[in-house]
Amino acid sequence: MTGNQIQGLIGMTATLGILVLLVLPSVLGILRDRRIDRQIRKAQEAHREQEAQKSSSRSTVPSTATWYADGRRSKKLVSS
Protein backbone atom coordinates (compact mmCIF):
# COMPACT_ATOMS: atom_id res chain seq x y z
CA MET A 1 0.00 0.00 0.00
CA THR A 2 1.19 3.44 -0.79
CA GLY A 3 0.99 6.49 1.45
CA ASN A 4 -2.00 7.83 -0.50
CA GLN A 5 -3.94 4.60 -0.09
CA ILE A 6 -3.25 4.55 3.66
CA GLN A 7 -4.40 8.17 3.98
CA GLY A 8 -7.53 7.33 2.03
CA LEU A 9 -8.22 4.32 4.25
CA ILE A 10 -7.72 6.39 7.41
CA GLY A 11 -9.99 9.13 6.05
CA MET A 12 -12.70 6.64 5.11
CA THR A 13 -12.47 4.93 8.53
CA ALA A 14 -12.69 8.30 10.28
CA THR A 15 -15.70 9.29 8.17
CA LEU A 16 -17.48 6.02 8.93
CA GLY A 17 -16.64 6.41 12.63
CA ILE A 18 -18.11 9.91 12.72
CA LEU A 19 -21.20 8.67 10.86
CA VAL A 20 -21.67 5.88 13.42
CA LEU A 21 -21.29 8.36 16.29
CA LEU A 22 -23.92 10.62 14.74
CA VAL A 23 -26.42 7.83 13.99
CA LEU A 24 -25.95 5.79 17.18
CA PRO A 25 -27.97 8.09 19.53
CA SER A 26 -30.89 8.09 17.10
CA VAL A 27 -30.89 4.32 16.81
CA LEU A 28 -30.68 3.92 20.59
CA GLY A 29 -33.58 6.38 21.02
CA ILE A 30 -35.72 4.49 18.52
CA LEU A 31 -35.01 1.19 20.28
CA ARG A 32 -35.84 2.76 23.66
CA ASP A 33 -39.13 4.18 22.34
CA ARG A 34 -40.13 0.80 20.91
CA ARG A 35 -39.39 -0.88 24.24
CA ILE A 36 -41.48 1.70 26.11
CA ASP A 37 -44.33 1.34 23.58
CA ARG A 38 -44.25 -2.43 24.06
CA GLN A 39 -44.42 -2.01 27.86
CA ILE A 40 -47.34 0.42 27.57
CA ARG A 41 -49.22 -1.95 25.25
CA LYS A 42 -48.63 -4.83 27.66
CA ALA A 43 -49.87 -2.78 30.62
CA GLN A 44 -52.98 -1.69 28.69
CA GLU A 45 -53.79 -5.28 27.77
CA ALA A 46 -53.38 -6.36 31.39
CA HIS A 47 -55.62 -3.50 32.49
CA ARG A 48 -58.29 -4.48 29.94
CA GLU A 49 -58.17 -8.10 31.10
CA GLN A 50 -58.46 -7.01 34.71
CA GLU A 51 -61.45 -4.79 33.90
CA ALA A 52 -63.10 -7.64 31.98
CA GLN A 53 -62.67 -9.94 34.98
CA LYS A 54 -64.06 -7.31 37.34
CA SER A 55 -67.17 -6.70 35.25
CA SER A 56 -67.91 -10.40 34.85
CA SER A 57 -67.42 -11.20 38.53
CA ARG A 58 -69.42 -8.27 39.89
CA SER A 59 -71.82 -9.29 42.59
CA THR A 60 -75.47 -8.38 42.45
CA VAL A 61 -75.43 -6.85 45.92
CA PRO A 62 -77.17 -3.47 45.87
CA SER A 63 -75.13 -0.35 46.42
CA THR A 64 -74.92 1.37 49.80
CA ALA A 65 -77.32 4.09 48.65
CA THR A 66 -79.96 1.50 47.72
CA TRP A 67 -79.49 -0.34 51.01
CA TYR A 68 -79.79 2.90 52.98
CA ALA A 69 -82.91 3.98 51.07
CA ASP A 70 -84.54 0.56 51.62
CA GLY A 71 -83.84 0.81 55.33
CA ARG A 72 -85.37 4.27 55.52
CA ARG A 73 -88.47 3.12 53.62
CA SER A 74 -89.04 0.18 55.95
CA LYS A 75 -88.70 2.42 59.02
CA LYS A 76 -91.32 4.76 57.60
CA LEU A 77 -93.69 1.87 57.07
CA VAL A 78 -93.20 0.60 60.62
CA SER A 79 -93.61 3.97 62.27
CA SER A 80 -96.79 4.98 60.42
Side-chain angles (χ1 to χ4, degrees):
M1 282 186 133
T2 65
N4 286 339
Q5 288 175 333
I6 292 175
Q7 279 184 337
L9 184 61
I10 291 171
M12 191 173 14
T13 304
T15 303
L16 288 174
I18 291 171
L19 180 66
V20 167
L21 287 175
L22 290 173
V23 172
L24 186 63
S26 297
V27 171
L28 292 177
I30 291 169
L31 292 175
R32 181 176 175 266
D33 286 346
R34 290 183 70 176
R35 178 178 50 94
I36 291 171
D37 288 343
R38 194 171 34 245
Q39 289 174 347
I40 290 172
R41 238 181 281 118
K42 184 178 177 182
Q44 286 175 340
E45 288 173 4
H47 182 71
R48 281 190 204 117
E49 288 176 9
Q50 185 179 14
E51 287 296 317
Q53 288 176 356
K54 277 185 180 179
S55 65
S56 65
S57 64
R58 266 195 193 147
S59 66
T60 57
V61 176
S63 69
T64 305
T66 306
W67 174 79
Y68 179 74
D70 287 342
R72 302 259 315 165
R73 280 189 214 116
S74 64
K75 286 181 184 176
K76 285 181 183 176
L77 293 173
V78 171
S79 65
S80 58

